[in-house]
Amino acid sequence: MSEGGTARRIAGRVLIVAGSDSGGGAGIQADIKSVTALGGYAMTAITALTAQNTEGVFGVHEVPTAFLRQQMELVIGDIGVDCVKTGMLHSAPVIETVCDVLEARLPNVPLVVDPVMVAKGGHPLLEPSAMGVLKNRLITRATVLTPNVPEAELLTGLTIRDEDAMRQAAELLLSFGPRAVLLKGGHMSGRDVVDLLASEDGIEAIRGPRIDTRHTHGTGCSLASAIACGLAQGLSLTKAIRRARNYVLTAIATAPGWGRGHGPLNHAHTIRADA
């Protein structure tokens, strides 16, 4: 194998289909930073532009679906893709377009679905009419679905107040068709953060320390993209998740503290400043 071919195989090519965050803390910007920090190669197909900062989302400008399709197909046809990660897919036509391209061009490539529905500040990012196609077309083909508790409540209709309810929700989400579900427990109370990984092998609780901070903007985007990077690099799902959780935990712990609201993470903590 040529040197270039070896570099491509090791790096891992991740196509991220999501919205842009002008504040740089979440969305496409967080996705690119996370994949790059973990040694992968990030490519993007932008679904929407948002005007936002740490205090909230103040405007959304949709990208036409024909242009979204063009972004995806040009990248796929030229560079190639080892894993796909989806984030903000705000409408049924957008989700339909993404699914059409994935089914036609990347039917066997791993897919990480982060079902972005509501921004950290409460702004809705998924039209109600899109819920059906999200569940019936996109989630069904996911390698792993990564909802937080509020998203899991919207997807299942359940009220989640404790770990037992999380387990019930994870089992229900798994019945929708994804190969695995990582139900994130960051919105729950308790000394530790408990995430549940549900698959055909059962449910595994993955525990970690809770950091008391408001600087958590983009944690879901960053975690999902870090997982996608691991899958693109050939890691097993479990190893990709554990590496991604450790990466995000350190990114939260070393956050720069910027902004008046939910501040961004330190995505570059893996990069030596003196390198």
Side-chain angles (χ1 to χ4, degrees), residues 120-192:
K120 186 77 71 177
H123 190 284
L125 298 176
L126 179 75
E127 296 176 1
S129 60
M131 182 67 78
V133 67
L134 174 66
K135 294 167 73 171
N136 297 328
R137 287 203 67 188
L138 188 66
I139 287 176
T140 56
R141 72 179 311 275
T143 303
V144 59
L145 174 70
T146 64
N148 58 31
V149 165
E151 290 161 349
E153 289 182 327
L154 288 172
L155 285 167
T156 64
L158 300 175
T159 299
I160 303 172
R161 294 292 180 266
D162 54 33
E163 191 172 327
D164 287 340
M166 284 182 67
R167 287 179 176 272
Q168 182 183 359
E171 290 176 349
L172 182 53
L173 289 168
L174 191 63
S175 74
F176 294 171
R179 286 173 51 193
V181 174
L182 180 67
L183 178 49
K184 301 171 294 187
H187 286 77
M188 306 293 282
S189 60
R191 181 185 219 174
D192 293 334

Side-chain angles (χ1 to χ4, degrees), residues 74-109:
L74 287 170
V75 167
I76 293 167
D78 178 32
I79 299 171
V81 177
D82 298 310
C83 188
V84 177
K85 181 262 182 177
T86 62
M88 177 185 170
L89 309 178
H90 51 281
S91 69
V94 166
I95 299 172
E96 295 277 14
T97 298
V98 172
C99 290
D100 287 347
V101 175
L102 294 180
E103 290 166 8
R105 303 294 299 274
L106 300 172
N108 300 313
V109 169

